[in-house]
Amino acid sequence: DTGVSQNPRHKITKRGQNVTFRCDPISEHNRLYWYRQTLGQGPEFLTYFQNEAQLEKSRLLSDRFSAERPKGSFSTLEIQRTEQGDSAMYLCASSLVDYGYTFGSGTRLTVV
Amino acid sequence: TQLLEQSPQFLSIQEGENLTVYCNSSSVFSSLQWYRQEPGEGPVLLVTVVTGGEVKKLKRLTFQFGDARKDSSLHITAAQPGDTGLYLCAGAGETSGSRLTFGEGTQLTVNP
């Protein structure tokens, strides 16, 4: 297992388009998290899964955002009708216990 | 809302110097983690501290968790250019479950 994998690494999209990102966590980790990070800021929590159940969503996650984790394995994060303010690095992390995440390299989204 | 304030925000020092980064909050955390992030990559976990007053050492890095579990510090001895990066502290709240609250980060540059 080579860690948490995120695809694509970079995505440029036009405003109003839909985008979907994928995260493959470390296989034995049952917890998966999505965070968003803008330049000069620390990551902000978006949502969290334990196995296939989405247990918590941030108020940052508007109705244009949806995340799934079918079968408790990989996860997808979809943004509908993208806006320029959605431009950010989207980070996925997984963990087995509460202490310490393993992050992926992120997906850099640019909305033009 | 739990907030973590990091200071300083930017730090530029010469190789061989010592430095300390601070992470403060008015909230109590059940655990606190330190990460290091390089440009275009996800954060990498350095250490997790759990017990108030705990001190952990990782080679030239010393991490301390405050007695009241509201603050933490990272001390680097004899900094090297390879220590350059964004240092992030992140706290797990007593009631926030697995969600981490991140500070805004300290951008460290070590000049040769």
Side-chain angles (χ1 to χ4, degrees):
Chain A
D1 200 340
T2 56
V4 178
S5 176
Q6 290 189 247
N7 287 287
R9 289 294 309 273
H10 303 276
K11 178 71 176 179
I12 299 174
T13 190
K14 290 184 178 179
R15 189 175 53 183
Q17 297 293 305
N18 300 341
V19 294
T20 300
F21 310 140
R22 178 178 170 124
C23 172
D24 288 272
I26 292 174
S27 56
E28 60 265 30
H29 287 183
N30 60 349
R31 295 175 180 169
L32 186 148
Y33 312 83
W34 286 98
Y35 281 75
R36 181 172 68 186
Q37 186 177 27
T38 53
L39 202 61
Q41 301 293 318
E44 294 177 296
F45 172 79
L46 293 178
T47 190
Y48 146 59
F49 292 84
Q50 179 155 315
N51 299 314
E52 66 274 12
Q54 188 173 19
L55 296 187
E56 192 174 353
K57 289 170 60 174
S58 165
R59 281 172 287 181
L60 290 174
L61 215 65
S62 74
D63 56 5
R64 297 185 297 107
F65 288 70
S66 62
E68 295 183 342
R69 193 185 182 195
K71 304 178 183 178
S73 55
F74 71 92
S75 176
T76 58
L77 177 68
E78 181 184 16
I79 308 175
Q80 296 181 327
R81 305 181 303 281
T82 52
E83 302 173 355
Q84 285 189 321
D86 298 330
S87 295
M89 173 79 90
Y90 289 84
L91 293 163
C92 175
S94 68
S95 75
L96 185 57
V97 294
D98 278 335
Y99 307 141
Y101 293 178
T102 300
F103 278 91
S105 296
T107 294
R108 168 73 65 189
L109 173 66
T110 302
V111 182
V112 296
Chain B
T1 302
Q2 296 176 315
L3 293 174
L4 275 168
E5 294 184 352
Q6 281 189 243
S7 61
Q9 191 174 355
F10 298 96
L11 192 54
S12 180
I13 61 172
Q14 293 301 121
E15 183 175 1
E17 292 183 357
N18 302 333
L19 66 113
T20 303
V21 175
Y22 299 94
C23 179
N24 296 295
S25 177
S26 58
S27 303
V28 175
F29 292 96
S30 59
S31 69
L32 200 136
Q33 300 163 24
W34 284 91
Y35 292 81
R36 179 168 165 265
Q37 186 177 23
E38 298 197 21
E41 298 295 328
V44 175
L45 179 68
L46 297 174
V47 78
T48 300
V49 285
V50 178
T51 306
E54 182 177 2
V55 176
K56 281 192 174 179
K57 292 191 174 183
L58 188 67
K59 296 183 180 178
R60 294 176 294 101
L61 278 60
T62 302
F63 304 86
Q64 186 164 6
F65 201 12
D67 290 341
R69 292 184 290 134
K70 293 182 178 181
D71 54 86
S72 181
S73 64
L74 158 60
H75 182 78
I76 301 179
T77 303
Q80 299 175 0
D83 295 327
T84 293
L86 180 68
Y87 288 83
L88 294 158
C89 65
E94 293 190 314
T95 57
S96 62
S98 290
R99 168 164 42 97
L100 289 180
T101 298
F102 280 84
E104 292 187 349
T106 295
Q107 181 62 53
L108 172 65
T109 303
V110 182
N111 302 298

